[in-house]
Amino acid sequence: MNELRRDLENLQAQAIAQIQSSADATQLEQTRVQFLGRKGRLTTILRQLPTLAAEDRPTIGALANQVKEAIEERVVARRAAFESVPGDEILAKDQIDVTLPGRRPGLGRLHPITQIIRRICGVFVEMGFAVMEGPEVEWDYYNFEALNIPEEHPARDMWDTFWIDPATSQAGKPMLLRTHTSPMQIRIMEQTRPPVRVIVPGKCYRYEAVDASHESQFDQVEGLAVDEQITFADLKGTLHTFARRLFGKDRKVRFRCDYFPFVEPGVDMSIDCFLCKGGGCRLCKETGWLEILGAGMVHPGVLARVGYDPARYSGFAFGLGPARVAMLKYGIEDIRFFHGNDLRFLRQFP
Ligand code: FA5
């Protein structure tokens, strides 16, 4: 038994020395197999266990296990040392193959609403309109009062409003999140003299329940043209041209009376349904027409308020929702898809 104990101790010492002096991972592996492999030296010693007296077997067995674990530990540590290559060697090994094709960077794309706003503005720019933008946090004066909607006027119910807390609003005057882009009509006319031809895209906010056709935050595009001798025929011609440019040259348009306090007369404009060609279908709710915007001749009271002489100047204005236009153009049934952040939807608009 003592002989076997000595053999084991010698074997451990030899194995450890050999492990430490192995030059690389291959040599290390050979050493491991030499001592711990199926036909290795430790295994050979263990095979002799059954020949020992029964009372000696546990002691020698335990010692053999200790030797095995000690050798395995050293092998693992040495292997780790081989795998951690010093910095200089990494540089020497790592080479860049400049002839490999590049990796294509992930490109973003414009949101479908942004795309449609750009198309709408593009059509009007070609007709001589300039693009302007304005504040989304607005005074009550511009959003309502100057547009012929004084306090307590029932027309205020047409626009459910997010009001700014009076404690934070400046100068004690009522402020709000603009409910439409029409306040920009006033701001622009206050700052310029006719002729005016502008198009104003921008975000609007309404305290409304969200459903398939309404969001509480949405976009509008406002248009305004003021000059001498502008008539309703100019309004019709401009908007008809716009509809044909955006929806196709065969489009028909229909104007019907509508009410907005800041225009007189006021209208809404529809195009004939491009899906059923006016015959009636699910998209146009069997009417043959799709409503796309509100419009009208600028009210003389509004012109007078900004210092334009209503006897000399006249103009037309209109406001449309690009999301509505995109829904019609692409047959999208629910406005909530646009801001639902589902890439499967958004990727359809390259
Ligand atoms: C207006 O806001 C008027 N300022 C338009 C106008 C301008 C009339 C100039 C006359 C002269 P209306 O509330 O209908 O009108 O809104 C215009 C468009 O904005 C609607 O046709 C619709 O496309 C869009 N819109 C309105 N509310 C929402 C909403 N909650 N979510 C999404 N789009 C909306």
Side-chain angles (χ1 to χ4, degrees), residues 25-154:
T26 318
Q27 240 182 48
L28 177 66
E29 180 60 11
Q30 283 165 359
T31 305
R32 191 190 67 78
V33 172
Q34 185 191 339
F35 286 91
L36 304 179
R38 254 188 329 122
K39 291 182 186 159
R41 290 174 54 189
L42 181 64
T43 323
T44 313
I45 292 178
L46 287 175
R47 287 216 182 95
Q48 296 174 33
L49 274 182
T51 63
L52 290 179
E55 65 270 23
D56 292 338
R57 276 183 222 152
T59 330
I60 295 296
L63 179 63
N65 269 337
Q66 277 173 24
V67 170
K68 187 174 174 223
E69 278 170 21
I71 296 173
E72 276 172 345
E73 252 172 47
R74 295 300 175 105
V75 169
V76 170
R78 188 77 179 133
R79 193 180 290 137
F82 284 134
E83 280 165 6
S84 66
V85 187
D88 287 356
E89 286 179 42
I90 292 177
L91 279 181
K93 271 188 179 174
D94 263 7
Q95 290 186 3
I96 297 169
D97 183 351
V98 291
T99 63
L100 281 175
R103 282 192 204 125
R104 186 184 289 274
L107 283 183
R109 68 195 76 207
L110 291 178
H111 190 274
I113 301 279
T114 308
Q115 292 187 30
I116 205 90
I117 289 176
R118 291 197 179 179
R119 284 214 48 199
I120 293 168
C121 291
V123 170
F124 284 104
V125 165
E126 284 172 21
M127 288 194 268
F129 285 71
V131 180
M132 293 190 76
E133 288 182 330
E136 292 172 26
V137 180
E138 187 54 283
W139 299 110
D140 172 281
Y141 176 76
Y142 289 108
N143 196 82
F144 289 130
E145 271 208 60
L147 290 167
N148 276 349
I149 317 169
E151 227 182 309
E152 311 297 342
H153 193 291

Side-chain angles (χ1 to χ4, degrees), residues 159 180 182 206 208 214-215 218 220 222 260 318-319 321:
W159 294 278
H180 50 172
S182 298
R206 291 189 196 176
E208 275 184 341
H214 295 86
E215 294 250 51
F218 57 96
Q220 276 193 350
E222 189 88 5
F260 299 98
F318 57 89

